[in-house]
Amino acid sequence: MTPRTFHFKQPAGTSRGVYTTRQSWLLTISSDEEPGRSGVGECAPLPDLSCDAIPEYEKTLRAVCDRFEQEGIIHTDMLRPYPSMLFGLETAWLHYQRGASLFDTPFSRGEEGITINGLVWMGSYEEMIRRIEDKLEQGFHCVKLKIGAIDFDQELEMVKKIRDRFSRREVELRVDANGAFSFEEALYKLELLSQYAIHSIEQPIRPKQWAYMAQLCRESPLPIALDEELIGVNMPEMKSHLLNIIKPAYIVLKPSLHGGMQGTREWVEAARNQGIGSWITSALESNVGLDAVAQLAADIYPANRRIPQGLGTGQLFTDNIPMPLELRGEKLWRTVTP
């Protein structure tokens, strides 16, 4: 277990503040009986967001690792309250057992790429316009805008500028409010945004307001996707219960926040059973975590049923860990050597 601090190339602005560094813990599994064989996984909780971003995180993770070392078993049910730890351990164990290709998919074998959305971080109006133009020039046909940090009228103007230049057939627009709207103002703002053919809006109001969110999902002219709402809902029956009450159009899944690999699969199954769409997003992990998230997405969603995923590009940090990931246009590829 090795702590590692990564440094962002540019400050990453969110509705909760600005990140300049990212704290992770890298888990390595090895065995004296098989020298040269190992597996690596990343545990990366997000401060003020992850349900397991606790003061004694490292001490708890040490205990989790010690138990796995003694027993060689991942106690998934016991680790449900600690999704980032579970995800890192699942990744390391799969890597140890199967090698770099965690799943047998064309993406893991380097035979196809995964289409991703171009993420435009929060910033000033001028910065966000420039970032949008950069993403479109790179060839992205799905762009996700983080909103809620600057004046809403300016954000609306940005959306209008995109739609003046590009039709919905040319560019799919997603927006993520990260809970920035109050319930009282949310429906009005959703109606304004709906003029511009928005694909969906993530988490318009703060989580844990199920009745309000359910009402918005019923009345909104825009499809609503849940994200932060899912954090801390770790039992399968509660996942189905939440979805049945709120009835969103989509859910957006981050394995390190939403239950590790197994928990993510449970969310996808629960959503499918209720006719709810989903996609997978990385959560500012290093390339170790990003590679695992991308391989999981390719395994869960066959290419013919896969909408653009919310995966990172591997270019966030000045001191990232080299992994076989490469961005080609709007697709993330694994560059696997035969």
Side-chain angles (χ1 to χ4, degrees):
M1 185 180 86
T2 306
R4 179 77 178 263
T5 301
F6 297 97
H7 299 82
F8 285 92
K9 292 180 180 178
Q10 296 180 347
T14 74
S15 60
R16 293 172 184 81
V18 178
Y19 293 111
T20 57
T21 61
R22 183 76 165 94
Q23 183 64 49
S24 294
W25 284 262
L26 300 178
L27 306 184
T28 302
I29 295 176
S30 60
S31 171
D32 293 338
E33 298 176 0
E34 297 181 274
R37 182 181 178 185
S38 64
V40 179
E42 180 179 12
C43 303
L46 280 168
D48 302 319
L49 187 59
S50 299
C51 63
D52 58 354
I54 54 178
E56 295 190 339
Y57 186 91
E58 188 165 339
K59 180 180 178 181
T60 304
L61 180 58
R62 178 73 270 170
V64 168
C65 292
D66 288 345
R67 180 161 187 173
F68 177 81
E69 188 174 359
Q70 293 167 7
E71 301 178 5
I73 298 171
I74 299 177
H75 294 278
T76 302
D77 282 343
M78 294 182 63
L79 290 177
R80 286 183 183 275
Y82 308 101
S84 66
M85 299 182 196
L86 176 57
F87 176 64
L89 190 56
E90 287 172 319
T91 301
W93 188 223
L94 278 175
H95 190 194
Y96 179 81
Q97 292 176 304
R98 302 178 182 178
S101 294
L102 306 181
F103 304 102
D104 185 19
T105 68
F107 173 75
S108 290
R109 295 192 297 269
E111 298 168 3
E112 70 176 24
I114 297 178
T115 301
I116 65 175
N117 60 225
L119 177 59
V120 176
W121 286 101
M122 291 178 174
S124 69
Y125 177 74
E126 292 76 15
E127 287 172 336
M128 292 185 75
I129 287 292
R130 186 174 67 251
R131 290 168 185 169
I132 291 167
E133 291 173 344
D134 288 344
K135 293 299 180 186
L136 297 177
E137 288 176 5
Q138 290 171 33
F140 285 94
H141 291 88
C142 179
V143 177
K144 174 179 169 179
L145 308 179
K146 292 274 191 177
I147 62 174
I150 62 175
D151 179 74
F152 180 73
D153 289 337
Q154 287 189 311
E155 292 173 334
L156 202 62
E157 182 63 25
M158 280 191 299
V159 173
K160 181 179 183 300
K161 279 193 173 185
I162 298 173
R163 274 292 168 251
D164 285 345
R165 287 178 54 190
F166 300 95
S167 71
R168 65 189 302 172
R169 293 181 180 177
E170 294 173 296
V171 175
E172 179 180 283
L173 282 179
R174 299 173 177 174
V175 295
D176 184 0
N178 287 124
F181 303 160
S182 69
F183 172 70
E184 291 74 19
E185 68 185 358
L187 190 58
Y188 173 67
K189 290 185 174 181
L190 296 179
E191 288 172 349
L192 292 176
L193 286 166
S194 70
Q195 303 173 72
Y196 303 109
I198 304 293
H199 172 271
S200 57
I201 181 168
E202 291 180 35
Q203 204 68 42
I205 62 174
R206 289 181 294 104
K208 304 189 186 306
Q209 303 180 85
W210 288 16
Y212 284 160
M213 188 68 85
Q215 184 177 338
L216 282 180
C217 288
R218 287 194 304 270
E219 299 177 3
S220 172
L222 276 182
I224 290 176
L226 302 184
D227 179 354
E228 289 91 338
E229 198 72 65
L230 312 179
I231 295 172
V233 182
N234 299 316
M235 301 306 294
E237 59 272 17
M238 284 303 296
K239 295 175 182 180
S240 296
H241 182 57
L242 179 151
L243 297 179
N244 186 51
I245 289 176
I246 298 179
K247 294 182 170 59
Y250 302 100
I251 57 173
V252 183
L253 297 162
K254 299 179 175 72
S256 61
L257 291 174
H258 298 137
M261 293 187 179
Q262 177 168 316
T264 296
R265 292 183 189 277
E266 289 171 355
W267 275 116
V268 171
E269 181 179 2
R272 283 176 178 165
N273 289 341
Q274 298 189 38
I276 296 168
S278 65
W279 64 87
I280 287 178
T281 299
S282 51
L284 306 181
E285 297 93 351
S286 77
N287 281 341
V288 173
L290 173 59
D291 181 57
V293 172
Q295 291 198 60
L296 178 65
D299 189 56
I300 289 177
Y301 305 107
N304 64 342
R305 292 170 52 191
R306 192 186 302 147
I307 65 176
Q309 303 293 298
L311 305 174
T313 62
Q315 301 169 11
L316 276 179
F317 305 112
T318 60
D319 45 3
N320 214 332
I321 295 173
M323 291 291 284
L325 296 172
E326 180 180 85
L327 186 65
R328 305 177 197 168
E330 63 177 351
K331 291 191 175 184
L332 187 69
W333 289 77
R334 297 189 82 240
T335 54
V336 179
T337 303

PDB file of all heavy atoms in Angstrom, residues 3 11 31 33 44 53 90 107 117 133 139 166 169 184 190 213 224 280 290 297 302 306 308 310:
ATOM      1  N   PRO A   3       0.960   5.444  -0.561  1.00  0.00           N
ATOM      2  CA  PRO A   3       0.270   6.713  -0.828  1.00  0.00           C
ATOM      3  C   PRO A   3       0.955   7.462  -1.959  1.00  0.00           C
ATOM      4  O   PRO A   3       2.176   7.396  -2.113  1.00  0.00           O
ATOM      5  CB  PRO A   3       0.387   7.469   0.499  1.00  0.00           C
ATOM      6  CG  PRO A   3       1.564   6.868   1.189  1.00  0.00           C
ATOM      7  CD  PRO A   3       1.664   5.448   0.729  1.00  0.00           C
ATOM      8  N   PRO A  11      -5.655  23.659 -12.538  1.00  0.00           N
ATOM      9  CA  PRO A  11      -6.621  23.463 -11.462  1.00  0.00           C
ATOM     10  C   PRO A  11      -7.957  22.959 -12.006  1.00  0.00           C
ATOM     11  O   PRO A  11      -8.454  23.451 -13.013  1.00  0.00           O
ATOM     12  CB  PRO A  11      -6.759  24.869 -10.850  1.00  0.00           C
ATOM     13  CG  PRO A  11      -5.471  25.547 -11.191  1.00  0.00           C
ATOM     14  CD  PRO A  11      -5.081  25.014 -12.543  1.00  0.00           C
ATOM     15  N   SER A  31       3.136 -12.357  -4.730  1.00  0.00           N
ATOM     16  CA  SER A  31       3.273 -13.605  -4.000  1.00  0.00           C
ATOM     17  C   SER A  31       4.707 -14.120  -4.130  1.00  0.00           C
ATOM     18  O   SER A  31       5.273 -14.099  -5.225  1.00  0.00           O
ATOM     19  CB  SER A  31       2.291 -14.654  -4.535  1.00  0.00           C
ATOM     20  OG  SER A  31       2.550 -15.924  -3.968  1.00  0.00           O
ATOM     21  N   GLU A  33       5.469 -17.079  -4.023  1.00  0.00           N
ATOM     22  CA  GLU A  33       5.401 -18.328  -4.786  1.00  0.00           C
ATOM     23  C   GLU A  33       5.446 -18.078  -6.284  1.00  0.00           C
ATOM     24  O   GLU A  33       5.738 -19.003  -7.054  1.00  0.00           O
ATOM     25  CB  GLU A  33       4.122 -19.080  -4.421  1.00  0.00           C
ATOM     26  CG  GLU A  33       4.063 -19.485  -2.951  1.00  0.00           C
ATOM     27  CD  GLU A  33       2.753 -20.150  -2.593  1.00  0.00           C
ATOM     28  OE1 GLU A  33       1.898 -20.293  -3.510  1.00  0.00           O
ATOM     29  OE2 GLU A  33       2.570 -20.523  -1.421  1.00  0.00           O
ATOM     30  N   ALA A  44      -8.893   5.873  -4.499  1.00  0.00           N
ATOM     31  CA  ALA A  44      -8.832   7.329  -4.633  1.00  0.00           C
ATOM     32  C   ALA A  44     -10.155   7.964  -4.214  1.00  0.00           C
ATOM     33  O   ALA A  44     -10.987   8.312  -5.050  1.00  0.00           O
ATOM     34  CB  ALA A  44      -8.488   7.705  -6.078  1.00  0.00           C
ATOM     35  N   ALA A  53     -14.509   8.871   2.428  1.00  0.00           N
ATOM     36  CA  ALA A  53     -13.444   9.866   2.612  1.00  0.00           C
ATOM     37  C   ALA A  53     -13.398  10.241   4.088  1.00  0.00           C
ATOM     38  O   ALA A  53     -13.859  11.307   4.505  1.00  0.00           O
ATOM     39  CB  ALA A  53     -13.694  11.088   1.741  1.00  0.00           C
ATOM     40  N   GLU A  90     -10.405  -4.748  -5.845  1.00  0.00           N
ATOM     41  CA  GLU A  90     -10.923  -5.530  -6.978  1.00  0.00           C
ATOM     42  C   GLU A  90      -9.984  -5.412  -8.179  1.00  0.00           C
ATOM     43  O   GLU A  90      -9.686  -6.403  -8.863  1.00  0.00           O
ATOM     44  CB  GLU A  90     -12.306  -5.014  -7.382  1.00  0.00           C
ATOM     45  CG  GLU A  90     -13.437  -5.365  -6.436  1.00  0.00           C
ATOM     46  CD  GLU A  90     -14.727  -4.653  -6.817  1.00  0.00           C
ATOM     47  OE1 GLU A  90     -14.676  -3.465  -7.187  1.00  0.00           O
ATOM     48  OE2 GLU A  90     -15.792  -5.290  -6.741  1.00  0.00           O
ATOM     49  N   PHE A 107     -11.939  -3.833 -26.447  1.00  0.00           N
ATOM     50  CA  PHE A 107     -11.228  -2.665 -25.914  1.00  0.00           C
ATOM     51  C   PHE A 107     -10.002  -3.094 -25.120  1.00  0.00           C
ATOM     52  O   PHE A 107      -8.908  -2.549 -25.311  1.00  0.00           O
ATOM     53  CB  PHE A 107     -12.156  -1.837 -25.024  1.00  0.00           C
ATOM     54  CG  PHE A 107     -11.440  -0.722 -24.305  1.00  0.00           C
ATOM     55  CD1 PHE A 107     -11.055   0.437 -24.978  1.00  0.00           C
ATOM     56  CD2 PHE A 107     -11.125  -0.840 -22.950  1.00  0.00           C
ATOM     57  CE1 PHE A 107     -10.373   1.451 -24.323  1.00  0.00           C
ATOM     58  CE2 PHE A 107     -10.446   0.176 -22.289  1.00  0.00           C
ATOM     59  CZ  PHE A 107     -10.068   1.323 -22.975  1.00  0.00           C
ATOM     60  N   ASN A 117     -17.145  11.457 -23.803  1.00  0.00           N
ATOM     61  CA  ASN A 117     -17.528  12.860 -23.943  1.00  0.00           C
ATOM     62  C   ASN A 117     -16.323  13.751 -23.637  1.00  0.00           C
ATOM     63  O   ASN A 117     -15.423  13.376 -22.881  1.00  0.00           O
ATOM     64  CB  ASN A 117     -18.724  13.227 -23.063  1.00  0.00           C
ATOM     65  CG  ASN A 117     -18.521  13.033 -21.568  1.00  0.00           C
ATOM     66  OD1 ASN A 117     -19.396  12.502 -20.882  1.00  0.00           O
ATOM     67  ND2 ASN A 117     -17.409  13.467 -21.017  1.00  0.00           N
ATOM     68  N   GLU A 133     -14.389  25.158 -27.502  1.00  0.00           N
ATOM     69  CA  GLU A 133     -13.865  25.195 -28.872  1.00  0.00           C
ATOM     70  C   GLU A 133     -12.734  24.190 -29.057  1.00  0.00           C
ATOM     71  O   GLU A 133     -12.632  23.530 -30.098  1.00  0.00           O
ATOM     72  CB  GLU A 133     -13.396  26.612 -29.203  1.00  0.00           C
ATOM     73  CG  GLU A 133     -14.557  27.608 -29.321  1.00  0.00           C
ATOM     74  CD  GLU A 133     -14.095  29.050 -29.480  1.00  0.00           C
ATOM     75  OE1 GLU A 133     -12.903  29.318 -29.195  1.00  0.00           O
ATOM     76  OE2 GLU A 133     -14.928  29.896 -29.875  1.00  0.00           O
ATOM     77  N   GLY A 139     -12.411  16.907 -32.182  1.00  0.00           N
ATOM     78  CA  GLY A 139     -13.261  15.912 -32.827  1.00  0.00           C
ATOM     79  C   GLY A 139     -14.336  15.321 -31.953  1.00  0.00           C
ATOM     80  O   GLY A 139     -14.989  14.335 -32.347  1.00  0.00           O
ATOM     81  N   PHE A 166     -23.566  24.543 -33.875  1.00  0.00           N
ATOM     82  CA  PHE A 166     -23.650  23.102 -34.094  1.00  0.00           C
ATOM     83  C   PHE A 166     -25.044  22.597 -33.738  1.00  0.00           C
ATOM     84  O   PHE A 166     -25.538  22.865 -32.641  1.00  0.00           O
ATOM     85  CB  PHE A 166     -22.616  22.354 -33.238  1.00  0.00           C
ATOM     86  CG  PHE A 166     -21.193  22.744 -33.507  1.00  0.00           C
ATOM     87  CD1 PHE A 166     -20.567  23.706 -32.725  1.00  0.00           C
ATOM     88  CD2 PHE A 166     -20.474  22.163 -34.543  1.00  0.00           C
ATOM     89  CE1 PHE A 166     -19.256  24.082 -32.967  1.00  0.00           C
ATOM     90  CE2 PHE A 166     -19.164  22.527 -34.794  1.00  0.00           C
ATOM     91  CZ  PHE A 166     -18.553  23.488 -34.002  1.00  0.00           C
ATOM     92  N   ARG A 169     -27.527  17.129 -34.015  1.00  0.00           N
ATOM     93  CA  ARG A 169     -26.982  15.982 -34.738  1.00  0.00           C
ATOM     94  C   ARG A 169     -25.459  16.033 -34.794  1.00  0.00           C
ATOM     95  O   ARG A 169     -24.800  15.003 -34.870  1.00  0.00           O
ATOM     96  CB  ARG A 169     -27.552  15.930 -36.160  1.00  0.00           C
ATOM     97  CG  ARG A 169     -29.044  15.627 -36.206  1.00  0.00           C
ATOM     98  CD  ARG A 169     -29.548  15.557 -37.634  1.00  0.00           C
ATOM     99  NE  ARG A 169     -30.975  15.262 -37.694  1.00  0.00           N
ATOM    100  CZ  ARG A 169     -31.669  15.196 -38.812  1.00  0.00           C
ATOM    101  NH1 ARG A 169     -31.058  15.408 -39.985  1.00  0.00           N
ATOM    102  NH2 ARG A 169     -32.958  14.934 -38.779  1.00  0.00           N
ATOM    103  N   GLU A 184     -36.373  25.342  -5.676  1.00  0.00           N
ATOM    104  CA  GLU A 184     -37.299  26.394  -6.079  1.00  0.00           C
ATOM    105  C   GLU A 184     -36.957  26.979  -7.451  1.00  0.00           C
ATOM    106  O   GLU A 184     -37.851  27.378  -8.200  1.00  0.00           O
ATOM    107  CB  GLU A 184     -37.315  27.507  -5.022  1.00  0.00           C
ATOM    108  CG  GLU A 184     -37.950  27.110  -3.700  1.00  0.00           C
ATOM    109  CD  GLU A 184     -37.074  26.191  -2.858  1.00  0.00           C
ATOM    110  OE1 GLU A 184     -35.848  26.136  -3.106  1.00  0.00           O
ATOM    111  OE2 GLU A 184     -37.625  25.516  -1.963  1.00  0.00           O
ATOM    112  N   LEU A 190     -34.183  24.526 -15.788  1.00  0.00           N
ATOM    113  CA  LEU A 190     -34.255  23.387 -16.703  1.00  0.00           C
ATOM    114  C   LEU A 190     -35.061  23.744 -17.949  1.00  0.00           C
ATOM    115  O   LEU A 190     -34.730  23.317 -19.060  1.00  0.00           O
ATOM    116  CB  LEU A 190     -34.873  22.184 -15.996  1.00  0.00           C
ATOM    117  CG  LEU A 190     -34.078  21.601 -14.819  1.00  0.00           C
ATOM    118  CD1 LEU A 190     -34.818  20.425 -14.208  1.00  0.00           C
ATOM    119  CD2 LEU A 190     -32.682  21.188 -15.242  1.00  0.00           C
ATOM    120  N   MET A 213     -36.439  15.558  -5.918  1.00  0.00           N
ATOM    121  CA  MET A 213     -35.835  15.054  -7.142  1.00  0.00           C
ATOM    122  C   MET A 213     -36.846  14.259  -7.968  1.00  0.00           C
ATOM    123  O   MET A 213     -36.874  14.360  -9.205  1.00  0.00           O
ATOM    124  CB  MET A 213     -34.621  14.185  -6.816  1.00  0.00           C
ATOM    125  CG  MET A 213     -33.820  13.767  -8.042  1.00  0.00           C
ATOM    126  SD  MET A 213     -32.980  15.151  -8.850  1.00  0.00           S
ATOM    127  CE  MET A 213     -31.475  15.203  -7.873  1.00  0.00           C
ATOM    128  N   ILE A 224     -33.192  13.869 -16.662  1.00  0.00           N
ATOM    129  CA  ILE A 224     -32.329  14.058 -15.495  1.00  0.00           C
ATOM    130  C   ILE A 224     -31.542  12.784 -15.220  1.00  0.00           C
ATOM    131  O   ILE A 224     -32.076  11.673 -15.269  1.00  0.00           O
ATOM    132  CB  ILE A 224     -33.163  14.451 -14.266  1.00  0.00           C
ATOM    133  CG1 ILE A 224     -33.708  15.871 -14.442  1.00  0.00           C
ATOM    134  CG2 ILE A 224     -32.350  14.348 -12.979  1.00  0.00           C
ATOM    135  CD1 ILE A 224     -34.625  16.335 -13.322  1.00  0.00           C
ATOM    136  N   ILE A 280     -20.834   5.167 -17.561  1.00  0.00           N
ATOM    137  CA  ILE A 280     -19.793   5.133 -16.530  1.00  0.00           C
ATOM    138  C   ILE A 280     -18.852   6.315 -16.713  1.00  0.00           C
ATOM    139  O   ILE A 280     -18.526   6.711 -17.835  1.00  0.00           O
ATOM    140  CB  ILE A 280     -19.034   3.795 -16.570  1.00  0.00           C
ATOM    141  CG1 ILE A 280     -19.929   2.686 -15.998  1.00  0.00           C
ATOM    142  CG2 ILE A 280     -17.715   3.861 -15.804  1.00  0.00           C
ATOM    143  CD1 ILE A 280     -19.306   1.303 -16.028  1.00  0.00           C
ATOM    144  N   LEU A 290      -8.111   4.891 -14.051  1.00  0.00           N
ATOM    145  CA  LEU A 290      -8.795   5.151 -15.322  1.00  0.00           C
ATOM    146  C   LEU A 290      -8.799   3.923 -16.213  1.00  0.00           C
ATOM    147  O   LEU A 290      -9.815   3.591 -16.834  1.00  0.00           O
ATOM    148  CB  LEU A 290      -8.120   6.328 -16.040  1.00  0.00           C
ATOM    149  CG  LEU A 290      -8.615   6.631 -17.455  1.00  0.00           C
ATOM    150  CD1 LEU A 290     -10.104   6.953 -17.470  1.00  0.00           C
ATOM    151  CD2 LEU A 290      -7.813   7.782 -18.067  1.00  0.00           C
ATOM    152  N   ALA A 297     -16.150  -0.457 -18.155  1.00  0.00           N
ATOM    153  CA  ALA A 297     -17.201   0.097 -19.017  1.00  0.00           C
ATOM    154  C   ALA A 297     -17.355  -0.724 -20.291  1.00  0.00           C
ATOM    155  O   ALA A 297     -18.470  -1.005 -20.742  1.00  0.00           O
ATOM    156  CB  ALA A 297     -16.889   1.551 -19.357  1.00  0.00           C
ATOM    157  N   PRO A 302     -21.700  -3.547 -24.295  1.00  0.00           N
ATOM    158  CA  PRO A 302     -21.220  -3.943 -25.618  1.00  0.00           C
ATOM    159  C   PRO A 302     -21.208  -2.742 -26.549  1.00  0.00           C
ATOM    160  O   PRO A 302     -21.972  -1.789 -26.383  1.00  0.00           O
ATOM    161  CB  PRO A 302     -22.247  -4.988 -26.070  1.00  0.00           C
ATOM    162  CG  PRO A 302     -22.924  -5.444 -24.822  1.00  0.00           C
ATOM    163  CD  PRO A 302     -22.910  -4.283 -23.889  1.00  0.00           C
ATOM    164  N   ARG A 306     -23.464   0.999 -26.549  1.00  0.00           N
ATOM    165  CA  ARG A 306     -22.676   1.899 -25.722  1.00  0.00           C
ATOM    166  C   ARG A 306     -22.835   3.343 -26.171  1.00  0.00           C
ATOM    167  O   ARG A 306     -22.517   3.687 -27.310  1.00  0.00           O
ATOM    168  CB  ARG A 306     -21.203   1.498 -25.779  1.00  0.00           C
ATOM    169  CG  ARG A 306     -20.310   2.164 -24.740  1.00  0.00           C
ATOM    170  CD  ARG A 306     -18.853   1.796 -24.982  1.00  0.00           C
ATOM    171  NE  ARG A 306     -18.647   0.363 -24.940  1.00  0.00           N
ATOM    172  CZ  ARG A 306     -17.742  -0.273 -25.673  1.00  0.00           C
ATOM    173  NH1 ARG A 306     -16.994   0.390 -26.528  1.00  0.00           N
ATOM    174  NH2 ARG A 306     -17.604  -1.568 -25.574  1.00  0.00           N
ATOM    175  N   PRO A 308     -21.737   7.466 -25.442  1.00  0.00           N
ATOM    176  CA  PRO A 308     -20.458   8.038 -24.984  1.00  0.00           C
ATOM    177  C   PRO A 308     -20.309   7.952 -23.469  1.00  0.00           C
ATOM    178  O   PRO A 308     -21.211   8.306 -22.713  1.00  0.00           O
ATOM    179  CB  PRO A 308     -20.547   9.494 -25.459  1.00  0.00           C
ATOM    180  CG  PRO A 308     -21.419   9.442 -26.663  1.00  0.00           C
ATOM    181  CD  PRO A 308     -22.454   8.395 -26.352  1.00  0.00           C
ATOM    182  N   GLY A 310     -18.181   8.715 -19.793  1.00  0.00           N
ATOM    183  CA  GLY A 310     -17.589   9.918 -19.216  1.00  0.00           C
ATOM    184  C   GLY A 310     -16.176   9.699 -18.724  1.00  0.00           C
ATOM    185  O   GLY A 310     -15.815  10.136 -17.633  1.00  0.00           O
TER     186      GLY A 310
END
